[in-house]
Amino acid sequence: MLLSLFQYQFVQNAVIASIFASIVCGIIGVIIVEKRLIMMSGGIAHTSYGGVGMGYFFGFEPIIGALFISVLAALGIGYIKRRGGTRSDVVIGLFWSLGMALGILFIAMMPGYPPDLTSYLFGSILSVTRGDIYFMAAFTFIVVLVITILFSYWEAYMFDEEFASIIGIKTAFMEYLLFVLIAMSVVVLIRVVGIILILALFTAPTAIAGLLAKNLKLRMVLSIMIGSLFCFAGLWLSYVLNVASGAAIVILSAIGYLFVYITFLIKSKLRNEIN
Amino acid sequence: MIYATNGSGDCKNAVSIKNLTVKYRETPAIAGVSLDVLEGDYLGIIGPNGGGKTTLLKAILGLVTPSCGKISVYGRKPGKSEKLIGYVPQISALDKAFPITVRQVVQTGMLKPNFTLFHQYTQKDKEKADEYLKRVGIYKLKDRMISQLSGGEFQKMLIARALAVEPKLLLLDEPTASVDASSAEQIFSLLSELNQSMTIIMVTHDLLAVSSQVKTLACMNGRLVYHGGTQLNEEIAKALYGYPLDLLKHGGMQGI
Ligand SMILES: Nc1ncnc2c1ncn2[C@@H]1O[C@H](COP(=O)(O)OP(=O)(O)OP(=O)(O)O)[C@@H](O)[C@H]1O
Ligand SMILES: [Mg+2]
């Protein structure tokens, strides 16, 4: 019965979209968790809602608007963080709500019946189109490429940014690049889990992989695999129960993380008792 | 290598600092510091917590921007002196849970400033890293995760990483802070040996080490209170810590 589902174009698209989503989450998730940029990524994601609204209002593809605004937010937050003046979490909080507010404003100003935005907010993996797939493929490719070709430098940057900058590595450039990659990842993820639920997919697979994998590459690969597992399972749940894919994926991720975490806790307890 | 020589910079100076003031927001952390460090010197910097020792090192590294004054490192501006300086930071700032092995950390010191696409560490890099690990005495830990190191082992790994830069100047920020007496001794004897081929600036709270190890001494307490030979006298001690030398020598110096 499961196999017969694959005849449907929308199921094929959903599966491919899940894979792309897991790849960017696995790679970028590991970096942002390590660099403590989770809230900043949440900020970029939510700001992109302004872009979605803009797209609807001016009549272009909302996802292009999301890309544009989230890249802008990434560079803006990055610049203010680097300048140091204001505390960066203040700025992130401001961008976060401002983006959402702009989205609401644009939608409200649209003439006629307002469009349904739940698919952008909560994800709608079963309605991913071939066009969306090409779009996601392009950005996944960019993210993977940029991380791979500079992998040694990312490793040094993540472990000790200060030291990396002292030996002359252009860490400011890398930071901006990372922020733009986060923005691109957000755009890949919007159709799958939605703006509001992105953070769970950035963090849960990474956290589980962090408990299991002992080196950075392995941690990324494992995150990708765990992420795909959650996405496929969520996709199936979303189809069977007819709920938003984002919600299904996030709930499964959280349960998965708790399960692994508790298993580890019990295991270490047992080991202590034996010793 | 070719170094740009500027007219005013003395070639014999590894570091030359003139009237340096560094502020965080409005409050100055260090003010009016002028200090020349000769090539081949082994300078110890002491002073109370918050005395501006780390800030001085960061200014030399170009990590903080001076609000006035001038620094040159081998005739270059700070921040433009990549690959001339090896730096051993205070370890508390680093994430010990990061998934990386000891040897991989040392290898990061060998990265060149310009991006090489698809960079991979070569067999030669590995052998060089092992060489540095032998030098600091933790070769047998080369494949360990850094999360499994003790404080002293971690410190030695950071020294190995700084050596991997092949620097002319080595800056160390409290290299013996979390280290037992015998490891501290090992680190100090290693530094003495290294000093034969490179200039060293070391921040420390270990006053005993200062008098026996370093060649010259600087005392920081917001400003440069003293710079010269290693014999501390009453007046300086008072200016530095606010109480006489005797107390310093007999009281727990680590706590200062
Ligand atoms: N990032 C910062 N922002 C604001 N103030 C700072 C910062 N770093 C240091 N300071 C202040 O500058 C002064 C000098 O600090 P610094 O770290 O250089 O002292 P230190 O001599 O290294 O002290 P310690 O012995 O505790 O390491 C302190 O008063 C400190 O509060
Ligand atoms: Mg300090």
Side-chain angles (χ1 to χ4, degrees), chain A residues 34 36 85 145 148-150 152-153 155-156 158-160 162-163 165-170 173-174 214-216 219, chain B residues 58 61 63 82-83 87 94-95 98-100 105 108-109 111-119 121 145-146 161 165:
Chain A
E34 190 56 45
R36 295 170 209 292
L145 190 71
T148 322
I149 61 179
L150 297 177
S152 297
Y153 301 93
E155 191 176 53
M158 286 166 68
F159 174 59
D160 189 350
E162 202 171 62
F163 186 85
S165 90
I166 288 165
I167 60 176
I169 294 171
K170 290 163 194 64
F173 169 76
M174 291 182 75
K214 294 260 179 271
N215 83 47
L216 193 59
R219 192 178 277 194
Chain B
K58 289 197 168 171
L61 290 162
L63 293 173
E82 63 243 13
K83 291 280 157 187
Y87 177 50
L94 295 175
D95 176 16
F98 191 74
I100 193 168
V105 169
T108 61
L111 286 173
K112 299 279 173 287
N114 291 325
F115 293 126
T116 309
L117 303 188
F118 297 106
H119 173 275
Y121 295 106
M145 303 302 297
I146 60 166
R161 179 183 68 168
V165 177

Side-chain angles (χ1 to χ4, degrees), chain B residues 49-50 53-55 90 173-174 203 205:
Chain B
N49 288 135
K53 306 178 294 297
T54 300
T55 305
Q90 274 182 304
D173 201 345
E174 298 184 32
V203 170
H205 283 299

Side-chain angles (χ1 to χ4, degrees), chain A residues 136-213:
Chain A
M136 291 171 77
F139 287 107
T140 306
F141 179 71
I142 294 173
V143 169
V144 173
L145 190 71
V146 171
I147 298 299
T148 322
I149 61 179
L150 297 177
F151 190 81
S152 297
Y153 301 93
W154 289 114
E155 191 176 53
Y157 166 82
M158 286 166 68
F159 174 59
D160 189 350
E161 183 176 346
E162 202 171 62
F163 186 85
S165 90
I166 288 165
I167 60 176
I169 294 171
K170 290 163 194 64
T171 49
F173 169 76
M174 291 182 75
E175 188 174 82
Y176 280 118
L177 190 60
L178 175 60
F179 289 177
V180 171
L181 292 182
I182 294 174
M184 289 179 174
S185 310
V186 162
V187 168
V188 172
L189 291 170
I190 281 181
R191 295 312 305 266
V192 178
V193 282
I195 290 170
I196 292 181
L197 304 174
I198 278 176
L199 281 188
L201 207 52
F202 267 140
T203 51
T206 306
I208 296 173
L211 292 172
L212 303 171

Side-chain angles (χ1 to χ4, degrees), chain B residues 23-237:
Chain B
K23 289 180 182 167
Y24 293 105
R25 313 218 175 173
E26 288 312 304
T27 38
I30 52 179
V33 172
S34 295
L35 177 72
D36 285 340
V37 184
L38 292 177
E39 170 92 74
D41 197 0
Y42 185 170
L43 172 71
I45 302 178
I46 60 169
N49 288 135
K53 306 178 294 297
T54 300
T55 305
L56 182 63
L57 293 191
K58 289 197 168 171
I60 295 172
L61 290 162
L63 293 173
V64 294
T65 328
S67 48
C68 70
K70 259 180 134 172
I71 307 177
S72 76
V73 181
Y74 292 100
R76 299 196 204 175
K77 285 205 182 104
K80 298 269 173 270
S81 51
E82 63 243 13
K83 291 280 157 187
L84 285 175
I85 310 184
Y87 177 50
V88 180
Q90 274 182 304
I91 47 175
S92 47
L94 295 175
D95 176 16
K96 287 192 77 174
F98 191 74
I100 193 168
T101 64
V102 171
R103 188 204 266 140
Q104 285 173 323
V105 169
V106 176
Q107 283 175 340
T108 61
M110 299 173 194
L111 286 173
K112 299 279 173 287
N114 291 325
F115 293 126
T116 309
L117 303 188
F118 297 106
H119 173 275
Q120 297 267 334
Y121 295 106
T122 59
Q123 187 59 33
K124 221 174 125 216
D125 289 338
K126 279 194 186 110
E127 285 161 14
K128 258 164 78 186
D130 289 349
E131 216 35 58
Y132 294 118
L133 285 169
K134 277 180 194 151
R135 198 116 192 239
V136 299
I138 54 166
Y139 174 69
K140 63 178 193 306
L141 304 177
K142 62 183 191 308
D143 293 318
R144 280 253 183 110
M145 303 302 297
I146 60 166
S147 56
Q148 298 163 336
L149 296 183
S150 75
E153 290 162 350
F154 200 92
Q155 196 72 61
K156 288 176 187 169
M157 174 189 73
L158 294 184
I159 295 176
R161 179 183 68 168
L163 294 178
V165 177
E166 298 182 334
K168 296 178 69 160
L169 170 66
L170 188 60
L171 303 186
L172 304 102
D173 201 345
E174 298 184 32
T176 55
S178 56
V179 163
D180 67 19
S182 85
S183 285
E185 209 162 282
Q186 284 167 23
I187 289 176
F188 285 134
S189 76
L190 173 69
L191 290 178
S192 300
E193 193 190 315
L194 291 170
N195 184 225
Q196 288 164 10
S197 57
M198 62 184 80
T199 312
I200 297 180
I201 301 178
M202 172 179 71
V203 170
T204 183
H205 283 299
D206 189 342
L207 295 193
L208 277 174
V210 155
S211 45
S212 62
Q213 301 293 327
V214 304
K215 290 179 181 163
T216 54
L217 189 60
C219 306
M220 291 288 305
N221 190 4
R223 49 198 188 85
L224 186 65
V225 180
Y226 172 81
H227 179 215
T230 56
Q231 285 311 310
L232 269 176
N233 64 33
E234 288 293 330
E235 220 174 302
I236 300 158

